[in-house]
Amino acid sequence: MTVDPPYLPPYLRIAAELRRRIASGDLAPGDRVPSTRRITEEWGVAMATATKALAALNQEGLVRAVPGVGTVVTEPDRGGAGRGAARGAGLSRERVVRAAIVLADIEGLGALTMRRVATEFGTSTMALYRHVPSKGELVRLMSESVFSGAPSGPEPAGWRPRLAREIRWLWSQYERHPWLARAMAGLTRPMASPHAMSYTERTLRTLRGLGLKPYEMIHTHLALMGYAQGVAMAVELESRARQDTGMTADEWLAANETHMDSVQLRGEYPVLSTLFGDEEFDLELGALFEFGLERLLDGVESLVERSHEPQ
């Protein structure tokens, strides 16, 4: 029995355990592997970590997603040609985009190259160019694929809950795909992508009929989107730092606690050093995002109220 190094990121430890279950036969070909929700419950990790664990196994060719069923163990490759050649059959734009998303989810956008994606299919880079003309277009298609989704469930009543639901859905995509925030074009150079524009349309629809001027509607949308994108940049940095150090944010803080305490005890930061006292403070990106979102929505609500005041 092999023991995983303790510094492995959580998603790789989970993937290793599921890999062992597949190798031992506990999970046979065709069996469903634990869902992301089951993984979060069994290992006590975030949904994004569970998604990365399954994505890692998918990239190895050990599991595959079956619509209406879930993620199942693949049949073993009996052709002897290797994983790349087997996956290279029937190359299409959709398969290239899906493989690129999995790669970027696990290794980051910096690791994404046309050559690297071609390797996953056991084919040449030129073969990929027949389906996707450039890396820039590939990244655009990846972003467009992510934006093809939408919030699930019934639409809540009231413009504020509806607007909050859209921004929280966007945030969930940034958490699931840490590369997405950096891949998105700047706010002044939006992409001409139907699915991304559908997200904009849904957001603007929540602001229609509130008495806001056209520029106030679009500025509200861009301010909220820019806020989510800005905080999400830290998601990618945290993901990269976890892979580089093998430590979670809490583990890193614990390892550096003594040094940070020594800096604060110099007396140069009197407010910061006494701000919390004995009260625990959890600097978690999701909580930070929610705090800022509510304050921004307070501001939008104030803007809406002012638009109904007599001129």
Side-chain angles (χ1 to χ4, degrees):
M1 174 179 175
T2 59
V3 178
D4 296 315
Y7 54 81
L8 274 181
Y11 82 91
L12 288 181
R13 292 201 293 268
I14 296 169
E17 170 57 22
L18 294 177
R19 194 182 299 111
R20 279 194 288 268
R21 294 181 189 179
I22 293 171
S24 68
D26 290 340
L27 288 172
D31 285 352
R32 285 188 60 186
V33 299
S35 65
T36 51
R37 187 172 299 279
R38 178 67 181 275
I39 291 173
T40 61
E41 295 171 352
E42 185 174 348
W43 276 275
V45 296
M47 187 68 74
T49 300
T51 301
K52 281 187 177 182
L54 293 182
L57 295 176
N58 177 275
Q59 186 157 345
E60 294 176 29
L62 295 176
V63 302
R64 63 187 179 93
V66 177
V69 176
T71 302
V72 302
V73 179
T74 58
E75 294 287 339
D77 178 14
R78 304 185 186 280
R83 180 172 63 92
R87 295 177 65 189
L91 198 63
S92 67
R93 171 178 287 193
E94 289 73 21
R95 292 192 68 205
V96 170
V97 172
R98 285 199 300 269
I101 289 174
V102 171
L103 173 61
D105 283 349
I106 296 172
E107 300 184 27
L109 204 60
L112 181 70
T113 64
M114 299 295 278
R115 182 190 295 262
R116 180 73 171 78
V117 177
T119 301
E120 291 301 306
F121 290 99
T123 189
S124 68
T125 307
M126 290 306 298
L128 253 63
Y129 282 123
R130 298 190 187 102
H131 301 277
V132 181
S134 66
K135 177 183 174 180
E137 176 64 5
L138 176 59
V139 172
R140 188 193 72 80
L141 291 170
M142 290 162 60
S143 302
E144 178 74 345
S145 176
V146 171
F147 273 93
S148 65
S152 59
E155 189 173 73
W159 69 264
R160 178 162 175 158
R162 290 199 300 271
L163 187 58
R165 184 175 78 147
E166 291 295 344
I167 303 304
R168 288 185 177 118
W169 176 84
L170 177 62
W171 171 252
S172 72
Q173 303 313 303
Y174 284 140
E175 284 191 303
R176 189 170 298 129
H177 309 287
W179 52 269
L180 183 61
R182 187 153 59 98
M184 293 296 292
L187 297 178
T188 58
R189 299 188 182 190
M191 295 185 298
S193 301
H195 291 315
M197 292 171 73
S198 292
Y199 171 78
T200 298
E201 177 68 17
R202 292 199 311 268
T203 304
L204 293 176
R205 195 182 302 136
T206 67
L207 299 170
R208 187 174 53 186
L210 298 180
L212 299 180
K213 297 179 177 64
Y215 82 88
E216 291 174 327
M217 292 174 61
I218 194 67
H219 282 188
T220 296
H221 160 62
L222 293 176
L224 288 166
M225 189 174 186
Y227 165 70
Q229 186 176 4
V231 180
M233 295 292 284
V235 175
E236 184 191 25
L237 292 173
E238 168 58 25
S239 177
R240 193 185 311 164
R242 180 176 293 192
Q243 291 187 23
D244 291 343
T245 65
M247 293 188 290
T248 66
D250 288 341
E251 291 168 342
W252 186 89
L253 285 171
N256 287 273
E257 184 176 7
T258 301
H259 175 66
M260 293 177 69
D261 286 345
S262 67
V263 171
Q264 292 190 36
L265 289 175
R266 297 173 187 169
E268 299 173 4
Y269 314 101
V271 177
L272 179 62
S273 60
T274 60
L275 191 58
F276 302 105
D278 296 330
E279 181 181 346
E280 287 194 13
F281 175 65
D282 184 15
L283 186 58
E284 196 269 324
L285 289 176
L288 174 63
F289 169 77
E290 284 294 329
F291 178 85
L293 174 60
E294 290 300 327
R295 304 295 75 75
L296 284 170
L297 291 174
D298 288 344
V300 177
E301 190 164 345
S302 176
L303 180 65
V304 171
E305 290 173 354
R306 287 202 304 272
S307 71
H308 292 90
E309 292 177 355
Q311 301 298 318

